[in-house]
């Protein structure tokens, strides 16, 4: 009956504490380190939500056992409670539900219909209905949930600086190898401004990936695990613990990536060797690293008696623009500020595909030079 519900809730809390926590001073919601049968240490946190408010105080639930006391609530109340938990922002992406019937199964039919609908809406990934017939029944539900543990595919976290360096290197490597098999690209890389346009587009595409709304759910990391996140860069989404996928976060990403974009060379191509020297030196200064000018100028082998514009087409502009990109990265992410690194979360597969798809072949700067 309804009057017995508080007693049942109290007993369930006691059972959860005894089942999952060894420490006498432990309480529900704290973190306990367990060792799996494969000798793998796992940190867990168990909560007991007996009303809508307590369920919304949770964060990043991977799974739940939904207990139904058949005589304590109406069918409507039961379904509302289930939907409230499943649609809660507290749950993580891949979410599993094990329904535990206590005192009968009169709601099974409507629960099955509701669970199937929630599955169709991608609100739950896996579900099962069990009945409490003996103390081990709840362990069977736990076994089902552990079979469908939430494993995050392809999701990584990294300092933005390191990700940009990786993408920059892979991008220029791809252009360098691709120019030998694509006539349009081979022509395009004869002009530094074409390469600058392609690189800036690459940064825009990276920005779009990092701001993708599909990443938002991976920020939903339970606060109680924050102190257990390794201080070293693990590369996992747990590095985002305590951070939010909000407007300030997204604005910081956009601001930094836009700051990395290279300006185009003005009045290009120059009309004389002297103008070339002034243009390149000014450009290096604009990137806050005039010290790289001698290195770049050595890569430009001018012959006094040849046409300047034709000579400039033979310059290894891919290598030079990559040096400029590295200058921009060093300026925006100086070594002295490594302790202030900004971490971002991303889908490794999407980042890899961004380079593999060779999107630059479809851009006008390359496509129009195919013939």
């Amino acid at each position: 009956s309804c009057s017995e519900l508080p007693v049942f809730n109290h007993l369930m809390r006691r059972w959860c504490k005894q089942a999952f926590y060894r420490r006498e001073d432990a309480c529900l919601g704290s973190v306990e380190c367990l060792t799996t049968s494969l000798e793998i240490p796992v940190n867990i946190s168990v909560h007991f939500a007996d009303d809508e408010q307590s369920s919304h105080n949770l964060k990043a639930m991977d799974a739940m056992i939904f207990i139904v006391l058949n005589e304590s609530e109406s069918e409507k109340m039961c379904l509302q409670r289930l939907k409230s938990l499943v649609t809660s922002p507290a749950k993580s992406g891949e979410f599993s539900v094990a329904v535990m019937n206590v005192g009968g199964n009169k709601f099974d039919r409507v629960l099955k219909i509701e669970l199937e609908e929630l599955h169709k809406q991608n609100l739950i990934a896996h579900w099962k209905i069990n009945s409490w017939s003996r103390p081990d029944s709840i362990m069977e539900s736990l076994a089902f949930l552990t079979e469908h543990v939430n494993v995050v595919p392809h999701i990584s976290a990294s300092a933005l600086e390191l990700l940009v360096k990786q993408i920059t290197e892979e991008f220029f490597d791809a252009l360098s190898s691709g120019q030998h098999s694509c006539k349009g690209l081979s022509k395009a890389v004869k002009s530094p401004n074409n390469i600058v346009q392609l690189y800036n587009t690459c940064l825009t595409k990276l920005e779009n990936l990092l701001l993708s709304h599909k990443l938002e759910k991976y920020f939903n990391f339970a606060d109680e695990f924050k102190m257990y996140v390794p201080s070293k860069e693990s590369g996992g989404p747990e590095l985002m613990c305590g951070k939010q996928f909000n407007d300030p976060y997204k604005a910081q990403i956009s601001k930094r990536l836009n700051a990395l974009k290279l300006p185009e060379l003005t009045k290009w191509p120059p009309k004389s060797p002297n103008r070339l020297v002034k243009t390149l030196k000014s450009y290096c200064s604009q990137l806050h690293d005039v010290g790289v000018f001698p290195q770049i100028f050595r890569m430009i082998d001018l012959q006094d008696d040849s046409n300047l514009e034709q000579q400039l087409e033979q310059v290894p502009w891919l290598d030079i623009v990559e040096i400029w990109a590295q200058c921009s990265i060093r300026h925006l992410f100086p070594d002295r500020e490594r302790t202030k690194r900004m971490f971002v979360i991303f889908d490794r597969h999407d980042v890899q595909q961004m380079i593999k798809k060779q999107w630059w072949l479809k851009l006008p700067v390359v496509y129009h030079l195919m013939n």
Side-chain angles (χ1 to χ4, degrees):
S1 67
C2 292
S3 62
E4 295 172 336
L5 186 57
V7 176
F8 179 83
N9 288 345
H10 174 70
L11 292 175
M12 280 301 302
R13 282 194 175 89
R14 286 184 57 186
W15 183 90
C16 287
K17 180 181 174 182
Q18 292 173 1
F20 295 102
Y21 294 92
R22 299 190 190 94
R23 294 176 290 113
E24 289 293 329
D25 61 340
C27 60
L28 292 180
S30 62
V31 177
E32 180 84 3
C33 184
L34 303 179
T35 303
T36 68
S37 58
L38 297 177
E39 298 299 318
I40 299 173
V42 177
N43 289 318
I44 68 164
S45 179
V46 179
H47 295 257
F48 184 82
D50 55 0
D51 56 35
E52 187 171 340
Q53 182 59 43
S54 61
S55 69
H56 282 274
N57 289 335
L58 303 179
K59 193 173 183 182
M61 293 188 294
D62 289 307
M64 76 171 178
I65 296 178
F66 182 76
I67 298 176
V68 179
L69 289 177
N70 281 261
E71 301 303 325
S72 70
E73 59 187 343
S74 66
E75 178 183 298
K76 182 179 179 181
M77 289 172 60
C78 176
L79 295 180
Q80 283 180 340
R81 189 163 57 89
L82 174 63
K83 196 162 187 177
S84 174
L85 285 164
V86 170
T87 58
S88 167
K91 72 182 186 65
S92 59
E94 291 287 319
F95 189 69
S96 299
V97 178
V99 175
M100 177 65 65
N101 273 316
V102 180
N105 58 356
K106 67 178 184 179
F107 295 159
D108 274 12
R109 185 184 64 82
V110 292
L111 280 169
K112 183 178 180 181
I113 293 172
E114 183 68 19
L115 288 164
E116 287 178 344
E117 182 60 29
L118 293 170
H119 182 264
K120 288 179 183 177
Q121 297 174 21
N122 294 319
L123 291 171
I124 59 175
H126 309 280
W127 61 271
K128 185 177 183 179
I129 299 178
N130 289 330
S131 294
W132 187 310
S133 57
R134 59 188 187 283
D136 286 343
S137 298
I138 199 166
M139 301 308 294
E140 292 173 4
S141 294
L142 286 172
F144 166 76
L145 295 177
T146 55
E147 289 174 8
H148 303 288
V149 66
N150 179 20
V151 178
V152 181
H154 308 303
I155 300 299
S156 295
S158 168
L160 179 59
E161 169 194 357
L162 300 180
L163 181 59
V164 168
K165 285 181 177 179
Q166 173 194 331
I167 291 297
T168 297
E169 182 179 342
E170 292 177 359
F171 171 73
F172 281 101
D173 284 348
L175 292 191
S176 181
S177 59
Q179 66 177 319
H180 304 297
S181 57
C182 175
K183 186 177 180 180
L185 183 59
S186 178
K187 290 181 179 180
V189 298
K190 293 180 182 295
S191 167
N193 280 340
N194 289 342
I195 303 170
V196 165
Q197 288 180 35
L198 294 177
Y199 179 63
N200 290 346
T201 302
C202 180
L203 291 175
T204 297
K205 288 184 174 292
L206 177 60
E207 178 187 2
N208 292 337
L209 290 182
L210 295 179
L211 299 184
S212 171
H213 284 292
K214 78 173 187 178
L215 297 174
E216 184 172 5
K217 61 186 176 183
Y218 299 114
F219 281 70
N220 201 13
F221 196 87
D223 292 333
E224 57 262 37
F225 291 113
K226 189 171 184 178
M227 63 182 294
Y228 297 92
V229 175
S231 57
K232 62 180 181 179
E233 295 172 18
S234 63
E238 65 273 8
L239 283 173
M240 307 309 292
C241 182
K243 298 179 174 61
Q244 292 182 310
F245 190 81
N246 53 19
D247 289 340
Y249 167 81
K250 291 183 280 188
Q252 275 295 312
I253 290 177
S254 296
K255 179 181 178 181
R256 296 193 183 201
L257 290 180
N258 282 313
L260 287 172
K261 291 182 178 179
L262 300 174
E264 292 191 22
L265 291 145
T266 57
K267 297 180 180 179
W268 191 266
K271 302 300 182 183
S272 68
N274 286 338
R275 175 51 58 185
L276 172 65
V277 170
K278 289 181 180 179
T279 299
L280 294 179
K281 188 175 289 187
S282 173
Y283 193 86
C284 293
S285 178
Q286 194 175 348
L287 296 177
H288 309 279
D289 198 346
V290 73
V292 300
F293 169 73
Q295 175 189 357
I296 287 172
F297 197 70
R298 285 194 296 270
M299 300 168 73
I300 302 174
D301 184 21
L302 293 182
Q303 305 295 325
D304 293 336
D305 56 348
S306 299
N307 180 283
L308 178 60
E309 189 169 341
Q310 290 180 351
Q311 290 187 73
L312 290 177
E313 290 184 354
Q314 306 306 314
V315 172
W317 289 115
L318 269 177
D319 296 333
I320 291 174
V321 175
E322 184 173 9
I323 291 173
W324 285 335
Q326 292 167 351
C327 290
S328 183
I329 293 171
R330 283 196 298 271
H331 175 69
L332 189 65
F333 302 106
D335 288 341
R336 65 179 180 275
E337 293 187 5
R338 284 194 173 182
T339 56
K340 301 178 183 177
R341 278 178 166 172
M342 178 183 185
F343 285 89
V344 294
I345 201 167
F346 58 95
D347 187 313
R348 292 193 308 277
H349 178 264
D350 289 348
V351 169
Q352 291 165 0
Q353 288 300 307
M354 188 182 80
I355 301 298
K356 288 182 179 179
K357 285 183 177 179
Q358 298 184 324
W359 45 265
W360 48 84
L361 299 180
K362 299 178 182 179
L363 296 185
V365 69
V366 174
Y367 181 77
H368 288 164
L369 296 174
M370 290 290 191
N371 298 320

